[in-house]
């Protein structure tokens, strides 16, 4: 495989350190609603899922009905927090700038939230109009469905098999793998728990990095190797 046709970045936990903020807010909302959970537990189990899917999973596995109004409350509070507090991951500006091929963002967060976070962290100019939210795809299905990845590849004219995806969540990695793309796991976010790298590998990542400084070296190395070679 020569140089990739497209490099896709997840946003939360890859470009910006927002997962820990969201986990704290969502854990607080759930605990106050009667389902006690710590931010660490929530991040470990559910990072990468929409809050709606988190609620559905909790109801299914814990037999604990939760009000749908919690979705709007959690989304509103997360939006307020990340717009004021979110920070970029260390080394991300240089790493993204060094990606010479087309690049984009694929996220389960809303387009508006992603754009606001990238603007606050001065990453928006790198992506401009290449932000894709799963909420805006024809199906509206979030990760771990592969839809948002395939949608971005189609829009940008890239062969899925020649795309690299940088993901911090198991659900995102699984979705990218299902899209037929090559996955690099990332564990540099504040929400990451011990053993997470192994989970990313099990979900389909070919390798895992902890620092953005290693990203382009790894892309170059993996581009020289493919299972089809």
């Amino acid at each position: 495989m020569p140089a990739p046709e497209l490099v896709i970045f997840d946003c939360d936990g890859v470009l910006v350190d927002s997962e820990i903020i969201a986990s704290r807010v969502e854990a607080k909302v759930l605990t106050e609603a009667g389902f006690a959970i710590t931010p660490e537990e929530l991040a470990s189990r559910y990072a990468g899922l929409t809050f709606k899917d988190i609620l559905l999973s909790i109801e299914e596995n814990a037999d604990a009905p939760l009000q749908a109004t919690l979705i709007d409350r959690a989304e509103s509070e997360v939006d307020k927090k990340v717009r004021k507090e979110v920070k970029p991951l260390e080394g991300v500006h240089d790493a993204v700038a060094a990606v010479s091929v087309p690049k984009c963002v694929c996220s389960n967060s809303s387009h508006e939230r992603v754009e606001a976070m990238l603007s606050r962290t001065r990453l928006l100019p790198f992506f401009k109009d290449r932000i894709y939210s799963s909420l805006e795809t024809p199906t509206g299905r979030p990760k771990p469905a592969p839809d948002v990845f395939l949608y971005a590849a189609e829009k940008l004219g890239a062969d899925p098999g020649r795309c690299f995806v940088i993901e911090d969540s198991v659900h995102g990695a699984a979705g990218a793998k299902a899209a037929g793309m090559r996955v690099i796991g990332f564990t540099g976010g504040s929400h990451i728990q011990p053993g997470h790298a192994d989970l990313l590998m099990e979900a389909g990542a070919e390798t895992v990095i902890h620092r953005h400084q290693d990203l382009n070296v790894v892309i170059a190395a993996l581009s020289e190797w493919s299972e089809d070679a």
Side-chain angles (χ1 to χ4, degrees), residues 27-44:
K28 177 175 178 289
V29 169
L30 289 169
T31 298
E32 290 176 352
F35 184 81
I37 188 169
T38 67
E40 292 76 20
E41 290 171 329
L42 191 144
S44 177

Side-chain angles (χ1 to χ4, degrees), residues 6-87:
L6 178 66
V7 174
I8 300 175
F9 291 87
D10 177 43
C11 182
D12 299 281
V14 171
L15 294 174
V16 299
D17 205 11
S18 54
E19 284 286 7
I20 189 64
I21 298 173
S23 294
R24 287 169 179 161
V25 171
E26 292 166 355
K28 177 175 178 289
V29 169
L30 289 169
T31 298
E32 290 176 352
F35 184 81
I37 188 169
T38 67
E40 292 76 20
E41 290 171 329
L42 191 144
S44 177
R45 297 180 198 175
Y46 304 113
L49 290 181
T50 64
F51 191 66
K52 177 182 178 181
D53 283 341
I54 292 174
L55 287 187
L56 291 174
S57 179
I58 289 173
E59 289 181 336
E60 179 180 343
N61 297 318
D63 193 26
L66 295 165
Q67 294 182 347
T69 54
L70 294 179
I71 298 173
D72 289 339
R73 177 186 166 192
E75 291 294 331
S76 176
E77 292 189 21
V78 171
D79 272 334
K80 291 177 183 176
K81 281 281 189 181
V82 296
R83 288 170 187 265
K84 294 180 179 179
E85 301 178 9
V86 73
K87 297 179 180 179

Side-chain angles (χ1 to χ4, degrees), residues 10-229:
D10 177 43
C11 182
D12 299 281
V14 171
L15 294 174
V16 299
D17 205 11
S18 54
E19 284 286 7
I20 189 64
I21 298 173
S23 294
R24 287 169 179 161
V25 171
E26 292 166 355
K28 177 175 178 289
V29 169
L30 289 169
T31 298
E32 290 176 352
F35 184 81
I37 188 169
T38 67
E40 292 76 20
E41 290 171 329
L42 191 144
S44 177
R45 297 180 198 175
Y46 304 113
L49 290 181
T50 64
F51 191 66
K52 177 182 178 181
D53 283 341
I54 292 174
L55 287 187
L56 291 174
S57 179
I58 289 173
E59 289 181 336
E60 179 180 343
N61 297 318
D63 193 26
L66 295 165
Q67 294 182 347
T69 54
L70 294 179
I71 298 173
D72 289 339
R73 177 186 166 192
E75 291 294 331
S76 176
E77 292 189 21
V78 171
D79 272 334
K80 291 177 183 176
K81 281 281 189 181
V82 296
R83 288 170 187 265
K84 294 180 179 179
E85 301 178 9
V86 73
K87 297 179 180 179
L89 271 298
E90 183 179 355
V92 68
H93 292 91
D94 290 341
V96 173
V99 175
S100 59
V101 300
K103 47 189 172 277
C104 71
V105 177
C106 285
S107 176
N108 270 352
S109 291
S110 70
H111 189 112
E112 292 76 15
R113 181 185 293 175
V114 172
E115 192 168 276
M117 292 190 295
L118 296 183
S119 178
R120 173 178 168 79
T121 55
R122 305 189 315 279
L123 287 161
L124 189 57
F126 291 117
F127 299 103
K128 299 179 181 178
D129 58 348
R130 298 185 303 278
I131 296 171
Y132 301 97
S133 167
S134 62
L135 303 174
E136 298 173 339
T137 63
T139 65
R141 295 199 306 164
K143 307 171 191 176
D147 303 33
V148 68
F149 298 115
L150 294 172
Y151 181 74
E154 179 183 1
K155 286 292 184 181
L156 297 174
D159 176 357
R162 295 186 61 184
C163 296
F164 277 110
V165 178
I166 321 304
E167 270 286 355
D168 69 303
S169 77
V170 168
H171 304 290
K177 182 69 173 178
M181 299 179 179
R182 302 181 69 181
V183 186
I184 298 173
F186 180 75
T187 59
S190 299
H191 65 293
I192 297 296
Q193 302 294 308
H196 192 67
D198 292 335
L199 297 178
L200 289 172
M201 295 290 286
E202 291 172 9
E206 293 184 41
T207 190
V208 177
I209 60 173
H210 184 71
R211 310 182 313 158
H212 274 302
Q213 291 91 325
D214 299 326
L215 176 60
N216 284 281
V217 173
V218 168
I219 290 176
L222 291 179
S223 295
E224 295 296 321
W225 176 89
S226 96
E227 294 179 353
D228 299 328

